[in-house]
Amino acid sequence: MRIADIYKGNTPVLSLEVFPPKPGYSLKSVFRTLDGLSDLNPSFVSVTYASQGESTDRTVEIASRVRDEYGCESLAHMTCISHSKEEVASVLDNLEDRGVGNILALRGDIPADFSDDKRDYHFASELIAEIAARNNFCVGAAAYPEGHIESKRISLDLDNLKRKVDAGAEFLITQLFFDNRIFYDFMERARYRKIDVPLVPGIMPILNYKQIKRILMMCEVSIPAKLLNMFDKFSHDPGDLAKAGVDYAIKQVSELVEEGVEGIHLYTMNRVPQVREIVFRSGLREKT
Ligand SMILES: Cc1cc2nc3c(=O)[nH]c(=O)nc-3n(C[C@H](O)[C@H](O)[C@H](O)COP(=O)(O)OP(=O)(O)OC[C@H]3O[C@@H](n4cnc5c(N)ncnc54)[C@H](O)[C@@H]3O)c2cc1C
């Protein structure tokens, strides 16, 4: 099913994001994660993609098995910055052959030693237009409530978001954020600019101090004072920090749902018990 159509049905739509294991490691661990999450009955599962392309095949394989073996719709992430046109065409052919019909089209982070000369792609909008032109995929794109790390002003980023929607993106999933007010403001600004496709908050639970620090450094999102307090209180106790992180995510999700968001996209970090707790305690699904 096209994901854009899923958002036309009952909301909030629950989607779960998983990532392939590192190269060289078996795919078993991600399927164990999926085994533990499948009875949550997510509307779709998204599978990340390594910018440098080393996990291309694994993303395609996981996304296609999510559909075939778990009976759940899947969304394959795909980046373009390190690919040639031919490579992109080959990944798209592969996705089509394996029956994966939904793609989150991204630029990807620019590798440190990258030269501009031979790039076939510069921005996600180029990939989106190319996929949309094939007419057999439903395409989504990334959105940044606090602005993308490279952008000088949020208004410029919103211009880019509009460009991505005009190029064919039919739904948008946001980067993590920890203050819902930032999302509401962003949503208002996006709607004012006639960005009218579903705009779905991406929520990442804080489960591990080192991991969240690395992610925060990568995307530069702001930390509300109450979160700083939480870090101060629990940073030396990983178990308590993870519990507080789950509580924080539950509060964020519950408030967003109350405000009537179209969906909740959970960055699962491939964790099972914590994600189950967030989904049940925030009321996204009932325990049976
Ligand atoms: C929901 C979500 C999922 C993600 N999944 C993955 C993943 O699986 N794998 C992965 O490697 N990364 C992933 N990322 C990270 C993403 O690849 C990076 O944030 C990347 O740096 C930007 O990708 P983009 O598609 O948003 O790029 P773009 O939309 O191209 O934007 C990149 C920057 O260029 C600017 N820009 C765009 N077009 C123009 C223009 N015409 N002129 C001037 N400036 C312009 C934008 O404002 C922005 O600052 C994900 C991000 C999100 C939010």
Side-chain angles (χ1 to χ4, degrees):
M1 186 173 186
R2 291 167 57 79
I3 285 177
D5 290 335
I6 295 178
Y7 286 113
K8 288 180 190 155
N10 288 341
T11 58
V13 165
L14 169 65
S15 53
L16 303 177
E17 180 174 310
V18 298
F19 55 83
K22 286 190 186 136
Y25 287 83
S26 135
L27 290 185
K28 273 187 192 151
S29 64
V30 74
F31 289 110
R32 266 199 305 275
T33 301
L34 289 165
D35 289 342
L37 297 176
S38 63
D39 70 315
L40 296 178
N41 201 15
S43 297
F44 66 93
V45 166
S46 88
V47 187
T48 66
Y49 187 91
S51 237
Q52 316 301 312
E54 73 262 27
S55 78
T56 308
D57 293 345
R58 311 186 119 208
T59 300
V60 178
E61 160 136 25
I62 298 163
S64 85
R65 286 177 61 183
V66 163
R67 293 193 75 226
D68 298 345
E69 293 172 23
Y70 292 82
C72 176
E73 198 44 79
S74 66
L75 170 66
H77 297 208
M78 178 173 178
T79 66
C80 58
I81 193 70
S82 300
H83 284 316
S84 64
K85 293 252 178 204
E86 292 72 29
E87 286 165 345
V88 163
S90 148
V91 177
L92 294 177
D93 289 344
N94 196 7
L95 284 166
E96 203 175 326
D97 290 347
R98 300 288 300 260
V100 178
N102 298 288
I103 302 178
L104 191 72
L106 303 143
R107 183 198 68 180
D109 289 331
I110 298 180
D113 56 348
F114 213 68
S115 111
D116 201 35
D117 311 347
K118 290 188 186 143
R119 271 187 221 176
D120 277 353
Y121 299 92
H122 300 85
F123 301 113
S125 51
E126 296 158 331
L127 177 65
I128 292 166
E130 201 167 310
I131 301 174
R134 282 196 168 212
N135 279 327
N136 45 8
F137 290 106
C138 174
V139 196
Y144 301 84
E146 297 182 63
H148 180 257
I149 189 165
E150 289 163 32
S151 79
K152 292 199 175 70
R153 290 207 309 270
I154 293 182
S155 59
L156 295 176
D157 227 33
L158 280 161
D159 290 343
N160 177 46
L161 199 57
K162 178 81 172 93
R163 217 174 275 130
K164 294 201 274 192
V165 171
D166 291 345
E170 296 180 70
F171 61 95
L172 303 165
I173 300 179
T174 77
Q175 179 170 268
L176 70 158
F177 57 89
F178 294 109
D179 183 341
N180 287 350
R181 290 172 301 182
I182 291 173
F183 175 78
Y184 305 138
D185 285 348
F186 179 67
M187 176 95 148
E188 262 179 37
R189 293 177 75 173
R191 297 301 186 224
Y192 183 75
R193 280 170 189 250
K194 308 260 177 295
I195 295 172
D196 289 328
V197 299
L199 178 51
V200 178
I203 300 297
M204 181 176 287
I206 295 165
L207 303 175
N208 172 311
Y209 184 70
K210 261 196 192 151
Q211 188 178 43
I212 202 73
K213 193 171 163 195
R214 188 178 54 81
I215 291 166
L216 291 177
M217 302 295 273
M218 263 162 42
C219 33
E220 284 186 3
V221 299
S222 40
I223 314 271
K226 53 191 161 192
L227 209 52
L228 273 182
N229 277 338
M230 189 178 108
F231 287 146
D232 281 349
K233 207 165 158 193
F234 300 120
S235 60
H236 300 294
D237 188 330
D240 281 352
L241 179 69
K243 273 189 211 147
V246 166
D247 287 344
Y248 195 93
I250 289 168
K251 194 156 185 290
Q252 252 197 301
V253 170
S254 307
E255 285 176 11
L256 286 161
V257 169
E258 217 175 291
E259 283 295 318
V261 291
E262 291 145 303
I264 295 287
H265 183 75
L266 277 181
Y267 294 103
T268 71
M269 327 291 280
N270 289 6
R271 303 284 276 271
V272 171
Q274 295 87 347
V275 170
R276 294 181 68 83
E277 194 177 345
I278 293 166
V279 168
F280 289 134
R281 280 183 48 210
S282 62
L284 283 168
R285 292 289 184 268
E286 276 179 23
K287 243 183 192 169
T288 47

